[in-house]
């Protein structure tokens, strides 16, 4: 198991290309099984979650190649509808294959998915949606979904769940008739999935708004598609610049996706310039506290950037209040930040962060992906050396976080 050793105190400076989006590429890879042909997907980040998804696709009978950020999937022959339990347990996003595999083969068998332990993370909305499309689902021991002919229908989601919206979209692509999803998630990754599906002949409309319409089609065709940049990775590098008083140019971003973050970083005293696909963030020596960070579905402040923003606020001037509205167990980084000297009080969904003069390096444990990234950021401003264990969580969702921060001047060693 590797660890990060971070020596604090360096101001970040330089430029970095933002990787392709983890949360966009995983459902897109799941979508490739709908197509009895080839998909070429570009701008694919090198992440453990991506490798796990490719292994699952191979176990289903797909031929897969991954080279130079480009993935080739040939899903002409699907030979199995049973998802391998050991891989499914490694990654929550494997649940997205329920919709696509059901759409393609009419049957899926899966164990319950794993992933970050940031909350209960039920899948009731996914299953409710698939049942509305006509699937029969048995939940005894494992999940068995059957539905030879899915039929388009109207589905009102009780909550705009990202995963449930994706699963229903995927199952509806080859269904008979038209499916309408109301109160759908509006995240940019949903729009990217729509664009990918349409690039292979699907008829999906409305993503990015709360109503999505999917007209079922008989078959799909081969495609080549490039994944959107990762807005959460971009936000992490923005937080890294902010916390170290640095200046960083991010290349290959979609500025529109970053507005919920840009607004907060401006409030903290950072200057931000944007130009097409570039964003430059310049931070003062010490940032100011942000009054209120409330996580919400897009276009609200993303829950996936909450831990990194909290790390930045630990040494800001003043007091910040965080309200985590999406996941009930998403403050697992707080104890570790506190070990480093942060002043954070948590009461349920609320965390009050009082900026302190300095953090101190010590050994801390990454317990989940974004919480792990937050500890790396805290280590970059702490006095002395911080050792971060549990780096495997970080590697699930960041492409070489340590080395990229190092290229900007951070003193980080991956051991
Ligand atoms: C996706 C992202 C994750 C991000 C989250 C919210 C991927 C691979 N992961 O996760 O990084 O943090 O969106 O932006 O894209 N819920 C239910 N029942 C369900 C489904 C969800 O109650 O059937 C609840 C969840 O427990 C949670 C909330 O809805 O409280 C949001 O979850 P959801 O939007 O589904 O997130 P994910 O798709 O799991």
């Amino acid at each position: 198991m590797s660890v990060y050793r971070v020596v604090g105190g360096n101001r970040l400076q330089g430029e970095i290309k933002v990787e392709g989006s983890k949360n966009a590429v995983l459902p897109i890879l799941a979508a490739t099984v709908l197509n009895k042909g080839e998909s070429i997907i570009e701008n694919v980040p090198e992440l453990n979650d991506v490798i796990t998804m490719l292994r699952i696709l191979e176990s289903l009978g797909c031929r897969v190649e991954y080279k130079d950020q480009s993935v080739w999937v040939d899903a002409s022959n699907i030979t199995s509808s049973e998802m391998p339990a050991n891989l499914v347990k490694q990654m929550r996003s494997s649940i997205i294959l329920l919709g696509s595999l059901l759409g393609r083969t009419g049957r899926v068998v899966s164990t319950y998915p794993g992933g970050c332990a940031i909350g209960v993370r039920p899948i009731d909305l996914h299953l409710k949606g698939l049942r509305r499309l006509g699937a029969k689902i048995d939940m005894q021991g494992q999940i068995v979904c059957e539905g030879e002919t899915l039929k388009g229908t109207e589905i009102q989601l009780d909550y705009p769940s990202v995963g449930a919206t994706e699963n229903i979209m995927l199952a509806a692509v080859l269904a008979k008739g038209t499916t309408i999803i109301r109160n759908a998630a509006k995240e940019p990754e949903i729009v990217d999935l729509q664009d990918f599906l349409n690039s292979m002949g699907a008829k999906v409309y409305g993503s990015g708004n709360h109503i999505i319409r999917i007209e079922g089609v008989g078959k799909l065709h081969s495609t080549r598609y490039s994944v959107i940049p990762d807005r959460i990775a971009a936000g992490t590098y923005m937080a890294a610049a902010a916390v170290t008083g640095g200046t960083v140019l991010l290349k290959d971003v979609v500025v529109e996706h970053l507005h919920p973050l840009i607004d907060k970083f401006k409030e903290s005293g950072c200057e931000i310039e944007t130009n097409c696909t570039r964003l430059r963030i310049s931070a003062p020596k010490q940032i100011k506290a942000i009054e209120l960070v409330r996580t919400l579905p897009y276009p609200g402040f993303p829950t996936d950037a909450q831990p990194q923003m909290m790390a930045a606020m630990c040494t800001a001037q003043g007091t910040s209040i965080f309200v985590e509205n999406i996941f009930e167990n998403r403050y697992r980084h707080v104890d570790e930040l506190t070990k480093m000297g942060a002043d954070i009080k948590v009461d349920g969904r609320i965390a009050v962060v009082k900026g302190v003069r300095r953090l101190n390096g010590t050994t801390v444990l990454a317990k989940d992906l974004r919480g792990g990234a937050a500890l790396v950021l805290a280590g970059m401003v702490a006095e002395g050396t911080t050792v971060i264990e549990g780096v495997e969580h970080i590697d699930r969702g960041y492409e070489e976080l340590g080395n990229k921060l190092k290229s900007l001047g951070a003193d980080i060693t991956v051991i």
Side-chain angles (χ1 to χ4, degrees):
M1 291 283 170
S2 51
V3 298
Y4 280 179
R5 191 172 152 276
V6 185
V7 182
N10 291 3
R11 192 175 156 258
L12 295 197
Q13 204 150 22
E15 56 180 59
I16 201 160
K17 178 191 169 306
V18 175
E19 64 226 42
S21 164
K22 163 178 114 48
N23 287 353
V25 76
L26 295 172
I28 286 175
L29 287 173
T32 61
V33 304
L34 286 167
N35 177 13
K36 282 186 192 161
E38 296 176 35
S39 304
I40 297 172
I41 301 149
E42 290 165 348
N43 200 29
V44 177
E46 271 184 45
L47 309 172
N48 286 352
D49 273 9
V50 167
I51 304 296
T52 306
M53 181 58 95
L54 295 179
R55 287 205 184 124
I56 297 177
L57 293 181
E58 276 178 329
S59 76
L60 301 174
C62 297
R63 287 163 64 211
V64 168
E65 271 175 32
Y66 183 17
K67 204 174 147 202
D68 300 334
Q69 315 266 303
S70 179
V71 168
W72 169 84
V73 181
D74 179 356
S76 307
N77 284 312
I78 297 290
T79 51
S80 167
S81 288
E82 297 207 10
M83 309 233 283
N86 60 329
L87 297 176
V88 168
K89 286 203 171 120
Q90 283 174 31
M91 186 178 65
R92 162 119 187 141
S93 312
S94 52
I95 196 72
I96 305 300
L97 277 155
L98 282 189
S100 55
L101 205 49
L102 186 66
R104 170 71 187 270
T105 67
R107 185 168 196 269
V108 195
V109 180
S110 175
T111 45
Y112 290 88
C116 276
I118 54 180
V120 182
R121 306 192 83 175
I123 53 168
D124 55 315
L125 301 174
H126 300 238
L127 301 180
K128 202 169 156 186
L130 297 178
R131 283 192 172 112
R132 293 271 305 151
L133 285 162
K136 300 259 175 301
I137 304 177
D138 186 288
M139 306 280 288
Q140 279 167 2
Q142 47 185 357
I143 308 169
V144 182
C145 292
E146 283 175 336
E148 274 300 328
T149 37
L150 300 180
K151 284 209 181 89
T153 184
E154 302 205 0
I155 296 167
Q156 167 81 30
L157 285 176
D158 295 330
Y159 179 89
S161 153
V162 173
T165 303
E166 291 167 344
N167 240 331
I168 297 166
M169 276 167 86
L170 291 170
V173 164
L174 299 176
K176 287 214 175 335
T178 299
T179 301
I180 308 273
I181 310 174
R182 295 207 163 81
N183 196 24
K186 294 187 276 194
E187 270 66 4
E189 294 76 22
I190 304 274
V191 180
D192 212 34
L193 180 60
Q194 165 179 293
D195 291 347
F196 171 72
L197 289 167
N198 290 349
S199 80
M200 56 183 188
K203 292 188 174 170
V204 186
Y205 311 100
S207 297
N209 293 304
H210 61 89
I211 300 179
I212 299 176
R213 178 185 173 90
I214 305 120
E215 291 173 13
V217 295
K219 63 174 188 175
L220 300 167
H221 55 73
S222 296
T223 183
R224 178 185 283 266
Y225 189 81
S226 183
V227 174
I228 53 168
D230 195 311
R231 63 194 167 100
I232 304 301
T236 306
Y237 294 116
M238 288 167 83
V243 75
T244 62
T247 297
V248 172
L249 173 68
L250 300 181
K251 297 194 294 187
D252 275 9
V253 295
V254 177
V255 172
E256 189 56 37
H257 298 168
L258 296 175
H259 280 294
L261 295 158
I262 290 174
D263 190 60
K264 293 294 170 197
F265 283 111
K266 279 188 176 166
E267 196 181 322
S268 76
C270 295
E271 277 179 23
I272 293 181
E273 292 163 53
T274 58
N275 178 2
C276 298
T277 57
R278 293 172 169 231
L279 179 149
R280 183 189 304 278
I281 177 166
S282 309
K285 217 167 161 207
Q286 189 187 20
I287 51 175
K288 288 183 286 186
I290 298 170
E291 244 170 58
L292 182 61
V293 179
R294 294 175 72 222
T295 66
L296 287 170
Y298 187 83
F301 189 88
T303 176
D304 286 354
Q306 174 261 109
Q308 304 89 310
M309 189 56 105
M310 187 177 283
M313 289 302 112
C314 286
T315 49
Q317 201 179 12
T319 299
S320 315
I321 296 178
F322 286 75
V323 185
E324 173 54 59
N325 289 306
I326 311 292
F327 292 110
E328 63 283 4
N329 194 17
R330 207 160 198 183
Y331 286 138
R332 292 173 13 118
H333 45 285
V334 166
D335 284 350
E336 306 301 303
L337 290 171
T338 306
K339 265 192 219 165
M340 298 175 73
D343 182 346
I344 307 174
K345 301 272 179 299
V346 174
D347 185 359
R349 291 180 175 275
I350 297 173
V352 179
V353 183
K354 274 192 198 161
V356 293
R357 284 176 75 89
R358 59 167 207 204
L359 297 176
N360 298 306
T362 182
T363 297
V364 286
L365 177 65
K367 297 173 186 166
D368 58 60
L369 165 58
R370 308 299 172 185
L375 299 178
V376 178
L377 302 188
M380 293 195 312
V381 278
E383 217 164 84
T385 302
T386 303
V387 174
I388 296 142
E389 298 173 339
V391 167
E392 64 277 8
H393 289 292
I394 300 174
D395 290 343
R396 278 192 35 230
Y398 286 96
E399 193 181 58
E400 307 236 351
L401 182 70
N403 285 334
K404 284 190 176 167
L405 291 169
K406 200 169 163 181
S407 76
L408 295 171
D411 185 342
I412 298 187
T413 321
V414 183
I415 304 170

